[in-house]
Amino acid sequence: MNHTKQTKLPSPAAIVLDDAERQPCEIWTRVMGYHRPVSSFNTGKKGEFHERTCFTEASLSAGMH
């Protein structure tokens, strides 16, 4: 029998971080067959990235009847 004690973690809503405890998250995306960090994009390419919309193949094929 395994008698390990389980510790309950706080819910994500209960966790509060100061700005000093945070670290930046780098976003990467696939461009022309390779991956690049969005932070390296020029102003125009950053604008194009933020205008992108997400879709799923199922919803795309559903309208093709």
Side-chain angles (χ1 to χ4, degrees):
M1 264 187 146
N2 188 358
H3 293 285
T4 58
K5 183 178 179 182
Q6 293 184 352
T7 304
K8 187 171 183 173
L9 297 174
S11 70
I15 298 172
V16 178
L17 297 176
D18 293 329
D19 287 342
E21 296 175 297
R22 297 177 182 272
Q23 70 181 45
C25 177
E26 188 170 51
I27 300 171
W28 285 63
T29 187
R30 184 174 173 269
V31 179
M32 299 297 293
Y34 60 94
H35 292 85
R36 291 184 52 196
V38 173
S39 61
S40 71
F41 288 177
N42 63 30
T43 304
K45 186 60 76 175
K46 284 181 184 177
E48 290 176 11
F49 174 77
H50 291 294
E51 289 177 357
R52 291 181 184 176
T53 58
C54 295
F55 70 95
T56 60
E57 189 174 338
S59 64
L60 181 64
S61 62
M64 304 294 281
H65 287 89

